[in-house]
Amino acid sequence: MPPFQQHRSAGGTSEMLGRLQRQRAAAAGQAVARERKISLMRKYRTGELPDVQQLSVAAFLAPLGVMASRDANIARTAVEAIWHSVCHAASQASQDPELMEGLRLAVRQCFERQPKHACYVRCLQSFALGDRGGWVDVAQTAQAAKASDSLQAGALQIEEQMLFGLEAEASGPPAKRQAVAARRASSSTVGHHPVEPTRKADATSWSAVAEVYAQLGQDDLVQVIYAKCLSRCPGSEVAMQALTGRKVDLAFRVYQALLGAAAGGGAPQPMDAETQGGPEGLDADKLLGGKEPLKEEEDMWFHQQNRCMEALGMWEDVLNIVNDETGNDDSRLFLQDETWDGSQYIRPFVRSCLFQPVERGRLSKVMQQAATQASLTSLLENHAVVEIAAQAAISRQWDRCQALVSRGWGVFREKWGALHPLTQAPRLHALATLQPLAELQEVVTLLQSLAPGTAGIGQLQAMVARWSQRWPSVQQPTADACLTVIHVRGLLLDALMQEWPRDQQHQGQTVYQILSGLQGEVMLGGAACLARQGFLDTAQDLLTQHRAAVGPTHLPSLQAQMRLRIAQVDANPGTPWLYNELSQEVNQLRKLCPVSSLAPATAPGLNTTQHCQLVLLQAEAHQYLAGDADSKDRAGQLRVALHMYQQAAGVKPEEQGKQEGTCCAETVAEASLKLAFLCNDLLQIMSEPDASSSIPSQLTQAAADAVKKSDGGLEAMLVRHMMHAMQLGGPSGREAQLYVPRLLSVIGSTEAAGRCFNEVWHKVPLPLLLPWVAQMLSLLDAAQGEALLPPLKVSLHAASDRFSKLLLCLTVVLD
C-alpha cells in the first residue's frame, strides 16, 4: 500500500473514533437535558390569573402523577389519600353497598399476589389499617410484612384483624356467609369503626402475630403470646420459665422431651433434678399433661429447641436440623414461596458450617453459588454478614473481609433505621453486630500497617488485651452476642497464626504458644461474660470444651470453673450435686496451690496478687459450702471462710511494685468488702433468724464467738473491713461507699466497733464521707454520737468555703 494511502487510512480511523465519541457525548448530554427539562402541565399568559372554575380534575392529577412517578414517598402518600377518599365516598353510598366490598376484595387480591416491594406493601398495609372490619389472610399479611421489612405495620394489621376483622364471605355455609355480610354491613365503615372486638382470635392469627414479633426481635412478647394463647401442655410453661431464667440446658431438654413424646417415639427418661436441674420426677407424660398439643405449639417447641442448640454450641445438631429441613439441598436456603421460607435457616447454616472446620468447604461452595446472583448475595449478607466476613478472614482474603465489614456497617444502618423508636430488644440485637465487625476491622488494619514480624506480635498482644476489657453488655437478652464475639475472635487468631511462622520466637515464646495462650484467654473471658449475663449453662459448656483441651490441672481454667460453680450454687441453692462438685474443685485447687500462707513461694510461678486472688476464691467457695445442709462440718467451713477472707484482706498493696500494687489493691479491697458483707449477713441472721437462710443461726453464733476473741466481734470486723475497702478505693471502694448508712448503724452497737471506727476513719478519703454528713448529724444524740464527732468536724471544715453560714451554726452545736 502506498504511503499516502496508509496515512489516509490511519487518519480516517481516528476521525471515525473521534466522531463516535462526540456522538456518545452528545447523546449523554441530551439524556441529561431531558431529565432536567421541566414539563409544564398548565401555562397562562403573563399576568393572567387562572380561572379555577374552568380547571378540570385532570389538571391537578397530571402534575401529581408526574411527581409520584419520580418519588416513592410522594407516590405512597398520594395513593393513600386517594384510597381513603374513595373509601369514605363508598361508605356514604348507601345505595351501592357492594362498592366497599369490592375495594376490600381488591386489597385481599393484592396480598394474595405476595407483594415484596416495601413502598407498595406499606400502601396496602395503610389501606387495611384504615378499614377496620376488613379481612386479609393473616399468613399472607405476615409474609408480605417480612418480605418488605414492614414488620411493625404488619403486626399492627394482624392485631387489628384479630380484634375487629370479619372473615371473607366466600368461605363457609350460606348461613355463616349471610351472618358475616350482615355484621359487615352494619359495623364496618370508614366513618364508623367498631370499637368493640367483633371476633375471638384463633390460633392461626396468634401464631402469625408471634412470628412477626419474633422477626422484630421482641422475644418477650412472643413468650407471652405462646404462654397465654397457644400453650395447652404444662411442659411449654416449664420450658418458657427455664428460658426466662436463662437456664438454656434445662429448656432444651424439656423441649426435646416434648417433641419426642408428641412424635410418639416412646417416653424419654424422666428428668432428673440432681443431674439436669429440672423439676424432680417431671417426665414427658407429665410435661404433656394428657393433652394434644396444637400444631402451632409443636412448631414453637421445634424452633425454640433449635435456638437452645445454638446457644449451647451444638453446631453439629444444628446443621443436621438444617439438612433435614432443606432435604440436603443447599439451594433451598435461598428459596421463598407460599409454603417455604429458606431464609430463616441461612444464619444457622452459615454459623454451623463456619464453627465446624470440617464443614467450611461446604460453606465456600454455597457462597460461590450465591455470588452468581446479586439477589442471593444480598440475602446472604443481610442475614449473616459478620459470619461471612469471618469466613473471608479465616481464608486470609483480607481485602474481601474489609469489603464485607464495610457492607456490615451498611446492613446495620438499614436495620437500625427500620426499627421502631420504642423497641429495646431489637436494638440490642442490632448493636451486637458492631463489636465483631469492629474487631474484624482492627485485625485488617493491623495487617495492613505491619509486615509480619516480632513487632507485629507485640501489637497483636496489645490488641487482644484490649479485647479482654471489651465484652457484650449484661443487658443482652440472649447468649448469641457473646458467642459470636468468642467464635469470631477464635477464627481471627486462627487466621493470624498463619501470618507468622509458627516457630518464630518473641520474648522467649514461639508464635504458636503466644497465639494459643491468647485463644485460651478469649475462651475464659467469654465464659466469664456469659456467667455475668446469667447464661450459666452456656458458660459451663464453653468451659468444659476448654478444660478438655488444656487439661484438668490448668490453673486459670480451674479458677474459672470454680467461679462459675459458685455462681451456679448461688443461682440454685440447696442443689446437692453442685455442692459436691464445688467441694471436689476446692480440693483439686488446694492440691495445685496450697494457701497455708500468703507467701508466693507456696505457689511457684504466682505473684502476691495472683496468690491473694486464689485465697479470695477459696474463701468464697468455703462460704457457699457452709450452706450445704448435708455437710457434716458446716461450722468448720464458715470458720475457714472467715480466716481466708482475713488473710486476703491483710495483704499490704504498698509493699508491691507500682503496677502490681494497683492490681493487688483492687483484690484486697474486694476481699475486705466481701468479708464485711459476710459479717453483715451473719449479724442479720443472729438478730432475725430466717428459715430460708442457708446458714442456721446456731452456726452463726459459733462463728461470732470465735471472732469475738480475736477481732472484737462481727461488728468490729464489719467496720474495719468496710472502711478498709473505702480506703483502698477502686470498684470495691466505690461500692462500699453505698453501705455507709449500715456502717453508721453498727458503730454504736458495741464498744469494740466504736473504737475500731475511731482508729480507721481518718484513713478514708473525706469525699467518700461528705455525702453522709446529714446522716451522721442525725445520730449525734445516739450511742455512736461520740464516735462521729471527730469525722463530722473535719468534714464540715473541709466544706467551709461552700457552706460557711451552715458551718458556723453547726460548729456552735458541736462545741
Side-chain angles (χ1 to χ4, degrees):
M1 182 179 295
F4 70 90
Q5 290 186 353
Q6 294 180 4
H7 176 73
R8 182 177 179 181
S9 176
T13 302
S14 62
E15 290 178 1
M16 182 175 63
L17 291 175
R19 186 165 57 253
L20 182 60
Q21 291 176 355
R22 289 193 294 273
Q23 289 175 352
R24 290 177 177 174
Q30 291 174 0
V32 172
R34 283 196 301 271
E35 292 180 358
R36 294 179 178 178
K37 183 179 178 181
I38 300 176
S39 299
L40 296 177
M41 301 291 106
R42 305 186 300 271
K43 62 180 180 179
Y44 313 95
R45 291 193 301 270
T46 303
E48 181 183 10
L49 295 176
D51 185 358
V52 295
Q53 295 182 353
Q54 294 182 358
L55 293 176
S56 63
V57 176
F60 293 97
L61 293 181
L64 182 61
V66 174
M67 295 173 64
S69 65
R70 299 296 181 92
D71 188 276
N73 290 326
I74 293 178
R76 181 165 60 89
T77 304
V79 174
E80 288 176 0
I82 295 172
W83 171 268
H84 291 305
S85 298
V86 172
C87 288
H88 182 73
S91 66
Q92 302 299 323
S94 57
Q95 68 276 12
D96 189 7
E98 295 184 357
L99 180 59
M100 193 65 200
E101 288 303 316
L103 295 174
R104 288 170 174 157
L105 177 61
V107 173
R108 288 198 297 272
Q109 291 175 341
C110 290
F111 275 101
E112 290 172 359
R113 295 180 179 274
Q114 300 179 12
K116 296 182 180 180
H117 194 278
C119 186
Y120 178 46
V121 171
R122 286 168 186 162
C123 273
L124 295 178
Q125 290 172 336
S126 177
F127 300 163
L129 288 171
D131 176 28
R132 177 176 288 182
W135 177 264
V136 179
D137 183 74
V138 290
Q140 296 170 358
T141 302
Q143 180 64 27
K146 182 179 178 182
S148 63
D149 201 19
S150 305
L151 296 168
Q152 286 92 353
L156 182 59
Q157 180 185 348
I158 297 174
E159 289 173 355
E160 285 279 323
Q161 289 186 177
M162 290 167 65
L163 290 174
F164 306 106
L166 297 173
E167 296 183 11
E169 299 175 24
S171 61
K176 179 179 178 180
R177 293 199 302 268
Q178 292 175 3
V180 171
R183 291 198 304 271
R184 191 184 297 280
S186 62
S187 64
S188 60
T189 62
V190 174
H192 301 85
H193 294 317
V195 294
E196 295 294 333
T198 57
R199 62 189 298 272
K200 183 177 180 180
D202 54 10
T204 303
S205 299
W206 282 116
S207 179
V209 76
E211 179 185 357
V212 174
Y213 276 124
Q215 294 293 325
L216 284 169
Q218 299 285 4
D219 295 331
D220 51 347
L221 293 178
V222 176
Q223 296 282 356
V224 170
I225 291 172
Y226 276 104
K228 297 296 184 182
C229 307
L230 292 175
S231 295
R232 289 181 177 176
C233 303
S236 297
E237 183 178 356
V238 172
M240 286 187 283
Q241 287 178 351
L243 280 181
T244 302
R246 302 195 170 188
K247 299 178 180 179
V248 183
D249 185 65
L250 173 60
F252 167 70
R253 295 179 183 278
V254 173
Y255 283 128
Q256 193 178 41
L258 286 168
L259 287 170
Q269 295 296 322
M271 304 283 293
D272 187 358
E274 291 192 358
T275 57
Q276 309 300 344
E280 187 172 1
L282 191 59
D283 57 16
D285 292 334
K286 292 183 179 179
L287 291 173
L288 287 178
K291 298 179 180 179
E292 184 70 22
L294 297 171
K295 178 184 179 300
E296 293 78 10
E297 190 173 9
E298 289 192 49
D299 292 340
M300 183 268 290
W301 296 344
F302 176 74
H303 291 299
Q304 292 292 348
Q305 175 195 242
N306 297 346
R307 291 183 61 185
C308 291
M309 287 180 183
E310 292 186 55
L312 294 171
M314 304 168 63
W315 301 115
E316 184 177 357
D317 295 326
V318 172
L319 187 57
N320 290 335
I321 293 292
V322 175
N323 290 338
D324 292 340
E325 293 298 305
T326 60
N328 288 312
D329 184 3
D330 295 341
S331 62
R332 284 176 58 82
L333 294 169
F334 305 101
L335 180 63
Q336 290 178 308
D337 55 29
E338 293 183 0
T339 60
W340 172 257
D341 180 16
S343 63
Q344 62 181 318
Y345 297 106
I346 288 179
R347 191 166 185 263
F349 171 80
V350 173
R351 289 166 68 84
S352 58
C353 288
L354 181 63
F355 301 152
Q356 297 183 91
V358 295
E359 299 290 346
R360 288 174 188 166
R362 180 179 176 185
L363 176 60
S364 299
K365 292 180 181 179
V366 171
M367 294 176 63
Q368 291 174 2
Q369 174 190 352
T372 59
Q373 299 183 36
S375 59
L376 302 185
T377 302
S378 177
L379 191 63
L380 199 60
E381 292 174 349
N382 287 336
H383 285 82
V385 66
V386 173
E387 288 78 9
I388 296 173
Q391 191 272 344
I394 197 64
S395 303
R396 300 174 66 187
Q397 300 174 2
W398 299 112
D399 291 339
R400 179 166 164 266
C401 179
Q402 174 67 62
L404 287 168
V405 169
S406 300
R407 172 58 182 154
W409 303 131
V411 171
F412 167 77
R413 288 192 294 269
E414 293 171 5
K415 291 184 178 180
W416 189 267
L419 293 175
H420 191 278
L422 299 180
T423 56
Q424 180 179 6
R427 293 188 181 276
L428 291 173
H429 282 300
L431 288 171
T433 63
L434 295 183
Q435 183 169 345
L437 286 174
E439 292 175 358
L440 285 162
Q441 180 69 63
E442 279 184 301
V443 172
V444 173
T445 304
L446 175 67
L447 292 177
Q448 288 175 346
S449 61
L450 293 174
T454 55
I457 291 294
Q459 296 200 21
L460 175 61
Q461 289 176 308
M463 181 182 68
V464 176
R466 293 195 300 272
W467 286 357
S468 65
Q469 305 298 322
R470 188 170 60 204
W471 289 100
S473 167
V474 295
Q475 296 179 353
Q476 283 290 340
T478 66
D480 184 81
C482 190
L483 287 174
T484 300
V485 170
I486 294 169
H487 286 297
V488 168
R489 288 178 179 180
L491 292 172
L492 286 173
L493 292 173
D494 285 339
L496 290 171
M497 199 174 290
Q498 305 173 40
E499 294 291 332
W500 283 274
R502 294 166 63 95
D503 56 350
Q504 182 175 337
Q505 295 285 328
H506 178 69
Q507 295 182 351
Q509 287 184 302
T510 64
V511 171
Y512 177 78
Q513 291 173 333
I514 293 172
L515 291 176
S516 297
L518 294 177
Q519 286 179 326
E521 292 178 12
V522 168
M523 295 286 282
L524 295 178
C529 176
L530 288 167
R532 288 193 300 271
Q533 292 178 338
F535 298 104
L536 303 180
D537 295 339
T538 307
Q540 182 61 70
D541 285 349
L542 195 68
L543 268 183
T544 301
Q545 297 174 19
H546 178 64
R547 295 196 69 193
V550 300
T553 59
H554 186 250
L555 184 58
S557 64
L558 180 57
Q559 289 179 270
Q561 178 62 72
M562 282 187 61
R563 293 190 184 96
L564 179 59
R565 194 72 69 193
I566 290 171
Q568 290 174 336
V569 172
D570 187 54
N572 303 278
T575 307
W577 70 272
L578 287 175
Y579 290 112
N580 294 335
E581 293 290 334
L582 180 59
S583 178
Q584 293 176 11
E585 288 155 4
V586 168
N587 294 332
Q588 187 177 6
L589 182 60
R590 187 180 293 115
K591 292 178 182 178
L592 288 177
C593 296
V595 290
S596 57
S597 68
L598 279 174
T602 60
L606 299 181
N607 57 32
T608 303
T609 303
Q610 293 169 331
H611 200 191
C612 184
Q613 291 172 346
L614 283 178
V615 176
L616 176 59
L617 179 60
Q618 294 202 45
E620 290 184 74
H622 284 289
Q623 177 183 346
Y624 279 93
L625 288 174
D628 183 8
D630 297 332
S631 175
K632 298 180 181 179
D633 189 23
R634 301 176 68 182
Q637 297 283 5
L638 191 56
R639 286 195 299 270
V640 171
L642 287 168
H643 176 66
M644 286 190 166
Y645 275 131
Q646 288 177 295
Q647 275 192 318
V651 176
K652 297 181 179 180
E654 61 271 12
E655 296 179 359
Q656 314 301 321
K658 182 177 181 181
Q659 183 175 1
E660 184 184 347
T662 303
C663 299
C664 187
E666 293 180 357
T667 304
V668 173
E670 182 182 1
S672 295
L673 183 61
K674 289 184 176 180
L675 178 54
F677 285 164
L678 177 57
C679 294
N680 182 58
D681 293 340
L682 296 177
L683 287 172
Q684 289 182 342
I685 294 173
M686 291 173 60
S687 60
E688 298 178 3
D690 185 2
S692 63
S693 174
S694 60
I695 302 177
S697 57
Q698 53 267 38
L699 291 182
T700 303
Q701 186 62 52
D705 294 339
V707 170
K708 189 173 183 179
K709 298 177 182 178
S710 58
D711 296 279
L714 293 174
E715 296 85 355
M717 185 180 289
L718 186 154
V719 172
R720 181 183 301 108
H721 290 284
M722 188 77 74
M723 301 290 280
H724 191 207
M726 295 171 64
Q727 173 191 347
L728 294 174
S732 298
R734 291 190 293 271
E735 185 178 0
Q737 184 189 8
L738 303 177
Y739 293 89
V740 170
R742 174 58 176 165
L743 180 70
L744 297 177
S745 67
V746 172
I747 292 173
S749 59
T750 65
E751 184 179 349
R755 287 198 308 268
C756 183
F757 181 79
N758 286 329
E759 293 172 1
V760 298
W761 72 263
H762 60 277
K763 299 179 182 179
V764 176
L766 276 179
L768 299 182
L769 296 177
L770 286 177
W772 308 104
V773 168
Q775 284 81 352
M776 295 166 70
L777 284 170
S778 66
L779 295 172
L780 284 177
D781 59 347
Q784 56 266 53
E786 185 177 352
L788 293 176
L789 277 176
L792 263 177
K793 290 182 178 180
V794 175
S795 299
L796 291 173
H797 280 288
S800 60
D801 293 338
R802 188 171 180 183
F803 306 106
S804 55
K805 293 182 179 179
L806 176 63
L807 173 65
L808 180 60
C809 298
L810 292 176
T811 303
V812 173
V813 172
L814 294 177
D815 291 339

